[in-house]
Each structure stands twice: as structure tokens, then as C-alpha cells.
Amino acid sequence: DAGVTQSPTHLIKTRGQQVTLRCSPKSGHDTVSWYQQALGQGPQFIFQYYEEEERQRGNFPDRFSGHQFPNYSSELNVNALLLGDSALYLCASSLFTGQPTGETQYFGPGTRLLVL
Amino acid sequence: AQSVTQLDSQVPVFEEAPVELRCNYSSSVSVYLFWYVQYPNQGLQLLLKYLSGSTLVKGINGFEAEFNKSQTSFHLRKPSVHISDTAEYFCAVSSVVIIQGAQKLVFGQGTRLTINP
């Protein structure tokens, strides 16, 4: 059973460019969350997708956008890259059960983005 | 809103010694509590979680944590550590509310556990 996969593993971009990161959730999961982990920091919640809609959003500017496809995979897009966007971007998947069960989020290995 | 404070940024310990990683949280609503581990160049792996019931939670790799509601703490412990436990450990919370989709996790800054031979 494949876990959460992310691509690419590493990426180098220059300021002002745009980037797209991809995530495939664990088999059977329908919810995808994205987190940004700056060097030496804990992950910070960007947004979450369920049923192809953004359901929750953290304190990130509109330059950060996303999409969820019918097969539950997801993309994170960042426009007009800044040096401060350099970080490890983590995708996490889970299964919505309809109840507040504290369901476990399973994390992928991340995409390390370096903005020069 | 929730916040998490991990009281130690780095904890050096000798192999086979006990260890405690401290975590305090703040929230105006009830929360679920989690500990994740991150090995070098990898994603996060769940060690254990507290949802309800017994305040002592046992997880993988011999770790356990105790929920203390009055002190709003969720400290992680292991009686005897191994070199392989060297990693970054993150405490996280999510609120107990009913919404569509999963609950967002709010993480602490992390504690780097270094095991010395």
C-alpha cells in the first residue's frame, strides 16, 4: 500500500517565478492538507482540500493556491516566488469520517524548494 | 486559536538513558494532541496521539506521553533511548470541532533529540 507521495523531491527557482508541487494521498484517503516547514521551524498549515474544494486556510497570502482532482491528488501553486518561500513543503492526507475523531494525518517526504 | 510551545529546542542524552520532551499548549476549545517524529530528510511520522480516555498514551518505538489538562501539557517520554531515536520531535494539536475534512494541525517549533553513545 503506497503512502503519501510528493513530486518533485527538490526544486530550485528564482524570485518572481511560479512553482507547482504535486501530492498523491495514501490509498483510501480523501482529504489533503499542505504545510510549509521553514528551516528549523515546525510545519505551518497552508490549506486543506476535501471534495475538490478548499475547506480551511492558514495565514498565507493569495500567492499560495491549490487544487484537488477527482482522484484526490492535489497541487500546490505558488506565484511570484520570494526568497522567504524557501522551505520544505509537506503534504498530508487523511480520511474524513464525518465525526471529530482526531484522525491521523499521514505525511509525505516533502518537496524542498529553494528560491534564489 | 491554538498554540504549542516546546520548551526545549535541543535535548542531548546518552544512549540507554531516559528522556522527556516537554510540550505545553494553549487553546480556548478542547483539543486532540499528537507527537510526530521527523528523521533527517524525511517527512513526519506519527508517534502517538491523545483523543480521550486514559491520560497515559503509548506509542510506537517505546515512547509514551501523558496528558495533563490542568497544566495543559503533553510531555513525551522514553525510559531508555537508542542511537536510532536521534531525530526532530514535534508536538501538535488540533481542535475538536465538527467541520468537513480533517482537522488542521498546529505544531510546536520542534525539539532536536540527539543521542550520544
Side-chain angles (χ1 to χ4, degrees):
Chain A
D1 176 24
V4 180
T5 60
Q6 293 186 242
S7 63
T9 56
H10 295 81
L11 205 51
I12 299 175
K13 292 286 187 179
T14 57
R15 281 178 296 172
Q17 285 190 311
Q18 178 265 344
V19 68
T20 297
L21 310 181
R22 296 176 176 82
C23 171
S24 291
K26 182 178 169 65
S27 178
H29 285 183
D30 57 8
T31 300
V32 173
S33 302
W34 287 92
Y35 293 82
Q36 180 195 66
Q37 185 179 16
L39 198 61
Q41 305 292 317
Q44 284 197 296
F45 175 78
I46 303 174
F47 44 52
Q48 181 181 90
Y49 278 85
Y50 171 67
E51 292 187 327
E52 302 180 47
E53 290 187 18
E54 183 182 291
R55 298 291 178 167
Q56 290 192 77
R57 189 177 183 91
N59 188 26
F60 280 81
D62 291 344
R63 297 187 297 109
F64 289 77
S65 63
H67 189 78
Q68 185 179 34
F69 299 93
N71 67 353
Y72 308 119
S73 67
S74 177
E75 288 182 349
L76 163 65
N77 300 293
V78 186
N79 293 322
L81 284 167
L82 304 174
L83 295 180
D85 294 332
S86 294
L88 180 67
Y89 289 84
L90 296 164
C91 168
S93 74
S94 58
L95 176 64
F96 174 59
T97 63
Q99 297 295 325
T101 59
E103 59 274 8
T104 298
Q105 293 190 27
Y106 292 82
F107 284 79
T111 294
R112 190 166 296 280
L113 172 65
L114 177 61
V115 182
L116 301 176
Chain B
Q2 296 90 40
S3 67
V4 177
T5 302
Q6 292 185 239
L7 299 165
D8 306 292
S9 59
Q10 296 186 59
V11 173
V13 182
F14 286 108
E15 194 172 15
E16 298 184 7
V19 69
E20 179 180 79
L21 306 184
R22 298 180 294 167
C23 171
N24 286 95
Y25 69 92
S26 173
S27 177
S28 56
V29 299
S30 296
V31 295
Y32 298 122
L33 296 144
F34 305 80
W35 274 99
Y36 280 85
V37 60
Q38 186 175 35
Y39 298 104
N41 300 314
Q42 294 187 29
L44 278 69
Q45 179 183 4
L46 181 71
L47 277 177
L48 48 79
K49 63 182 179 181
Y50 173 78
L51 304 182
S52 65
S54 173
T55 57
L56 184 63
V57 180
K58 294 192 182 297
I60 63 172
N61 301 339
F63 283 93
E64 64 181 31
E66 186 157 18
F67 170 57
N68 187 318
K69 188 174 182 178
S70 63
Q71 296 188 7
T72 60
S73 68
F74 189 54
H75 300 334
L76 181 71
R77 301 185 184 101
K78 186 169 182 178
S80 176
V81 296
H82 304 284
I83 293 286
S84 58
D85 292 323
T86 295
E88 191 88 17
Y89 292 79
F90 293 96
C91 181
V93 301
S94 67
S95 65
V96 181
V97 291
I98 300 175
I99 60 167
Q100 287 188 310
Q103 305 302 308
K104 74 172 187 179
L105 292 168
V106 176
F107 286 88
Q109 296 286 79
T111 297
R112 182 172 299 277
L113 177 62
T114 303
I115 311 301
N116 299 306

